[in-house]
Amino acid sequence: MPAEDLRDKNMEETKRKKKKKRFSYYGMRAVLVLYFRYFLLWDSDLSTSIYHAFVALCYLTPILGAIIADSWLGKFKTIIYLSIVYAVGQVIMAVSTIHDITDTDRDGSPDNLTLHIALSMLGLFLIALGTGGIKPCVAAFGGDQFQEHQSRQLNTFFSVFYLCINAGSLLSTLITPVLRGARSLSTLPEPPPPHRAPETFSTQQCGIHTQQQCYPLAFGVPAALMVVSLVVFIAGSGMYVKTDPEGNIMWSVCKCIGFAIKNRFRHRSKLYPKREHWMDWADEKYDKLLIAQIKMVLKVLFLYIPLPMFWTLFDQKGSRWTLQATTMSGDFGGFILQPDQMQTVNPILILTLVPIMDRLVFPLIQKCGLNFRYRMTRLKETMLRKQILEPLIVREHPLKRMTVGMLFAAAAFVCAAVVQVEIDKTLPDFPSSSQSQLKVVNMYGGSLGVRFSSGEPLTIHSYESSVDYLTFDQQEITVSLTTDPVITNPLRLIRGSRQTLVIPAEPERMYLEEDINSKPKEGKNAVRRAFTLSNGHQSCEFSRKFGFGSSYTFLVPADVFSSECESVKEVEDMEPNSVHMALQIPQYFLMTSGEVLFSVTGLQFSYSQAPKNMKSVLQAGWLCTNAVGNIIVLIVAELGKLPKQWAEYVLFASLLVAVSIIFSIMAYFYTYIDPAEIEAQILKEQHLDTEDEKKEKKKEETLEMQDKEVKQTKI
């Protein structure tokens, strides 16, 4: 088979494997928090903490995968073995969601949550170990399928590779919630005709004895797809280029670095001459090639220090931006978009922007003379003593692209802050912890005058309410009704809460009802829009269209059936969201553009600047920046609580701008290298040194022979 055809098949197999793996990973993540919250019954804070801890672990374990791949099994076997671990973890996770295994009383809820929690944690640990171990190997293994002169094809591979990641993410974000039982991207139901019952929102349910939300299916399908992807990957084994592991390189690296530090500390006196690089203190014991390779890796890892801040902002599109969407309207006319489904904008834009930027934007920028270019350098034979650099070839400048990507992400958070300011203008004015709010609903047959303590009287007509909530600083108040005789009652309000004072047909029996103190969760409505009222003998139907995040109270009079439900009156407790979700599209566009510039380019940069035997190690270091970014989110969210959400967005944007400036300075002083050429140069020098040593040794032996002959002649 021709080499080109073989390489293309290798690419296709790797991409298919990655696409199904991404569906498996992101599909499982899409419903994980909901599983914690509504199946294991954890509160929101604990669910969020465990979720982010799991994500951070997924991006820390690549270090272990890189060590195994580069030092022991090689990339191919590491991918296979850890994929098996991954699949087993997902199967255990799917089993943990089956409520019937502990539902002995068959009431639809598990009776032994401890077992489900234990299985879940075991499954998540295996998943983190599997997915994290695979991450640094898949990209590096795909890159190994190309030869050194195929740099353009390699860049195309990384772009397509990233497209496959986001294709899997897009499909899983759309499909997995449906498998679990959530209605997604559905159109609003029309009001039912008079002869039909109103439509109800049905969901996917499953179970042996009782039917519940189908978490086993939501976790089981990704597990099955992971098994399929593993089979497909193994089936293509004969077509891959497989590089052998270089030995326990990570342990050698650690020992070499440790020896260099110890040796430098031992010779810290000014009596000893300084060396060009602190790693040069290891040359008494370790090979010059290994020292040079470590220098290359450390040089890149140093550049990674500012990068976690990008992921700090990027990962919040699944948390802060989703919460922001819950206070917005998702009515797009033909369909309804739920807040958690706004995340699909990211993979959709990725699938669109990657080919556009790769084939159109970047070439156009180059033609305009604003291209990202740098000069690759050739190191002369004096490199180990003093670096003397000369031009070799002009190539793309990845660090400049990454800097621009970071600025795009910062601009995205500025947009999010502007949107948040607009949202804050429409949000209800909820009571503080020391205040109470009260609304009055009059269900009496006539208009009433209502006075609270020494305040101004309010006139409320029959089956209507006060215009808005009244705010009280005191907890104990008195209410007076202008009936004959006047009715006066003391009321005790709840601090930090909203309540409704209901005045029934018999005003002296007035009572308080507690209202909701926040927007309806997930941006959903508090009530549906189609209703049927019945007393067993008579019934009537009415409908009402509600916006996102609204809350209503319906007043049903005694003559409701004779009026065919037309006498039903509504009281708007909370206005629907008026800021549309479409306003989030600019921030998603900027963030996705930043991701294309930053993440895709970063993968290429990590691979190109790594020595051949340490590519997976450097890929793991790249992925660890994501883990650190997740940890920063947790720290800032817990410790840096700001009173306004828009202020937090501005804070993150400012931090990223500052970090991008630091990174640009570091990038300016970074010297791009060709690891293969440096290694070849050092090997050549070592070969020459060896030849010189042999010649010197042979010369010494010749002189010794001549001396012996002279002595024998004298004797």
Side-chain angles (χ1 to χ4, degrees), residues 476-599:
E476 305 284 346
I477 63 172
T478 301
V479 59
S480 300
L481 305 181
T482 58
T483 54
D484 189 16
V486 175
I487 299 174
T488 301
N489 278 349
L491 298 176
R492 183 178 179 82
L493 305 179
I494 301 174
R495 292 191 185 279
S497 295
R498 283 184 161 191
Q499 294 173 277
T500 296
L501 175 62
V502 181
I503 303 174
E506 300 177 11
E508 64 275 4
R509 301 179 65 178
M510 69 181 78
Y511 59 93
L512 290 171
E513 285 284 349
E514 190 169 353
D515 296 342
I516 59 175
N517 297 310
S518 62
K519 279 280 189 178
K521 293 181 179 179
E522 302 177 15
K524 296 178 180 177
N525 301 309
V527 291
R528 299 177 192 166
R529 74 187 199 97
F531 301 87
T532 298
L533 300 179
S534 174
N535 62 1
H537 304 286
Q538 298 173 292
S539 66
C540 65
E541 298 174 348
F542 75 101
S543 62
R544 171 71 162 85
K545 183 178 180 179
F546 306 117
F548 273 62
S550 57
S551 175
Y552 295 86
T553 298
F554 289 93
L555 308 180
V556 183
D559 63 347
V560 63
F561 298 115
S562 61
S563 66
E564 293 295 328
C565 282
E566 292 183 3
S567 60
V568 175
K569 294 186 178 182
E570 67 183 47
V571 174
E572 186 178 71
D573 299 324
M574 203 172 296
E575 293 182 1
N577 301 338
S578 57
V579 180
H580 203 275
M581 284 186 194
L583 290 180
Q584 280 195 322
I585 293 177
Q587 65 199 58
Y588 271 99
F589 176 81
L590 288 170
M591 181 61 75
T592 305
S593 300
E595 182 186 3
V596 172
L597 290 167
F598 181 88
S599 188

Side-chain angles (χ1 to χ4, degrees), residues 276 280 288 292 295 381-386 682 685:
E276 185 177 349
D280 292 332
K288 289 183 178 180
K295 287 180 182 179
E381 294 181 359
T382 55
M383 170 209 161
L384 293 175
R385 297 184 295 273
K386 183 176 181 181
I682 294 173
E685 289 183 356

Side-chain angles (χ1 to χ4, degrees), residues 13-26:
E13 292 290 333
T14 305
K15 287 184 283 186
R16 279 198 292 267
K17 158 81 175 176
K18 191 64 180 178
K19 195 170 184 177
K20 291 178 181 178
K21 176 183 176 294
R22 289 294 90 188
F23 184 103
S24 177
Y25 176 66
Y26 285 110

Side-chain angles (χ1 to χ4, degrees), residues 27 67 100 136 394 402 425 517 537 567 601 678:
I67 294 173
D100 290 300
V394 178
M402 294 171 66
K425 294 177 182 178
N517 297 310
H537 304 286
S567 60
T601 308
I678 294 176

Side-chain angles (χ1 to χ4, degrees), residues 239-535:
M239 297 182 291
Y240 301 139
V241 175
K242 303 169 189 173
T243 57
D244 295 327
E246 301 287 338
N248 196 344
I249 188 65
M250 181 59 73
W251 179 240
S252 300
V253 168
C254 293
K255 289 195 298 182
C256 185
I257 293 175
F259 179 80
I261 295 173
K262 184 170 62 175
N263 198 29
R264 176 67 184 90
F265 181 77
R266 190 185 301 126
H267 298 85
R268 63 187 181 277
S269 173
K270 294 182 178 180
L271 298 175
Y272 299 98
K274 292 183 178 181
R275 301 189 182 182
E276 185 177 349
H277 192 282
W278 63 271
M279 277 301 304
D280 292 332
W281 289 96
D283 60 5
E284 285 93 338
K285 184 176 180 181
Y286 290 92
D287 184 66
K288 289 183 178 180
L289 178 61
L290 176 63
I291 294 173
Q293 290 171 334
I294 294 174
K295 287 180 182 179
M296 295 183 231
V297 171
L298 292 177
K299 194 175 181 182
V300 178
L301 291 178
F302 177 73
L303 274 180
Y304 284 175
I305 293 175
L307 302 189
M309 186 54 65
F310 173 86
W311 300 113
T312 298
L313 274 68
F314 178 80
D315 285 340
Q316 290 189 63
K317 63 183 175 57
S319 55
R320 294 296 192 195
W321 287 11
T322 300
L323 293 175
Q324 184 185 64
T326 63
T327 58
M328 305 175 77
S329 173
D331 187 354
F332 283 81
F335 61 91
I336 295 295
L337 195 67
Q338 296 297 338
D340 51 351
Q341 290 176 321
M342 271 300 291
Q343 296 179 57
T344 59
V345 174
N346 175 251
I348 290 173
L349 288 174
I350 281 286
L351 295 174
T352 306
L353 289 177
V354 168
I356 290 176
M357 287 192 170
D358 196 33
R359 300 295 181 184
L360 182 63
V361 175
F362 292 145
L364 183 61
I365 290 176
Q366 291 174 10
K367 288 183 179 180
C368 293
L370 300 174
N371 48 359
F372 301 114
R373 311 289 273 190
Y374 74 91
R375 288 192 177 276
M376 179 67 80
T377 57
R378 184 192 301 277
L379 279 79
K380 286 189 172 183
E381 294 181 359
T382 55
M383 170 209 161
L384 293 175
R385 297 184 295 273
K386 183 176 181 181
Q387 290 186 350
I388 301 177
L389 311 174
E390 66 178 7
L392 173 64
I393 190 173
V394 178
R395 293 185 179 176
E396 293 299 324
H397 196 317
L399 297 181
K400 284 186 179 179
R401 283 193 189 182
M402 294 171 66
T403 304
V404 174
M406 297 167 79
L407 294 175
F408 267 86
F413 261 61
V414 173
C415 287
V418 173
V419 172
Q420 189 63 47
V421 169
E422 293 301 314
I423 292 173
D424 290 346
K425 294 177 182 178
T426 65
L427 291 178
D429 185 16
F430 293 107
S432 66
S433 58
S434 62
Q435 295 177 325
S436 303
Q437 289 184 340
L438 187 68
K439 175 175 277 192
V440 183
V441 172
N442 180 15
M443 299 186 68
Y444 181 62
S447 299
L448 287 175
V450 182
R451 180 192 295 270
F452 293 100
S453 299
S454 58
E456 296 293 326
L458 301 174
T459 300
I460 303 175
H461 300 294
S462 180
Y463 285 93
E464 291 187 3
S465 71
S466 54
V467 177
D468 203 351
Y469 281 88
L470 305 173
T471 302
F472 298 91
D473 293 324
Q474 61 271 27
Q475 195 173 5
E476 305 284 346
I477 63 172
T478 301
V479 59
S480 300
L481 305 181
T482 58
T483 54
D484 189 16
V486 175
I487 299 174
T488 301
N489 278 349
L491 298 176
R492 183 178 179 82
L493 305 179
I494 301 174
R495 292 191 185 279
S497 295
R498 283 184 161 191
Q499 294 173 277
T500 296
L501 175 62
V502 181
I503 303 174
E506 300 177 11
E508 64 275 4
R509 301 179 65 178
M510 69 181 78
Y511 59 93
L512 290 171
E513 285 284 349
E514 190 169 353
D515 296 342
I516 59 175
N517 297 310
S518 62
K519 279 280 189 178
K521 293 181 179 179
E522 302 177 15
K524 296 178 180 177
N525 301 309
V527 291
R528 299 177 192 166
R529 74 187 199 97
F531 301 87
T532 298
L533 300 179
S534 174
N535 62 1

